[in-house]
Amino acid sequence: MDNEPWQRRAKEAGLTQVTLARLLGRPVNTISRQIRGEHGEVPQHLVAVIVAWEMMTPEQREEWISTTRRACGLS
C-alpha cells in the first residue's frame, strides 16, 4: 500500500488488501486498484469497510471475518 489516504488508513488500522479482498469477495488486484482510486474515487463499499474496521476491537474483527467466512460457506 502506498501513501494514498485510504491505503494509509487501512494500513494504520492493520487491514491488509488480502483481508479486504476476502471480506468483499473480490480479487486482491481489484482491491489494489480500487483503494488507489485508479478509476476515480475509492468505492463507498471499500471506504465503509475501512471505517468499520477502524471502529472495531481486534476481537470484533476476528468475529466479523469468521462470521463472513461461515456465511459464504468458507469455514
Side-chain angles (χ1 to χ4, degrees):
M1 294 184 188
D2 297 328
N3 289 327
E4 297 296 324
W6 289 106
Q7 288 177 306
R8 187 172 47 251
R9 283 182 68 166
K11 185 175 182 178
E12 288 172 358
L15 180 58
T16 67
Q17 289 181 8
V18 171
T19 301
L20 279 166
R22 288 180 180 156
L23 285 168
L24 295 169
R26 300 281 185 245
V28 175
N29 64 343
T30 299
I31 297 300
S32 179
R33 286 192 306 270
Q34 289 179 336
I35 203 168
R36 288 193 319 266
E38 192 171 288
H39 299 289
E41 295 293 319
V42 175
Q44 185 174 354
H45 66 276
L46 197 53
V47 170
V49 169
I50 294 167
V51 170
W53 190 267
E54 290 173 326
M55 295 172 65
M56 289 184 230
T57 65
E59 295 79 17
Q60 290 170 320
R61 294 170 180 171
E62 287 299 320
E63 181 62 25
W64 189 27
I65 291 169
S66 296
T67 301
T68 302
R69 289 185 59 78
R70 279 194 307 275
C72 294
L74 301 173
S75 294

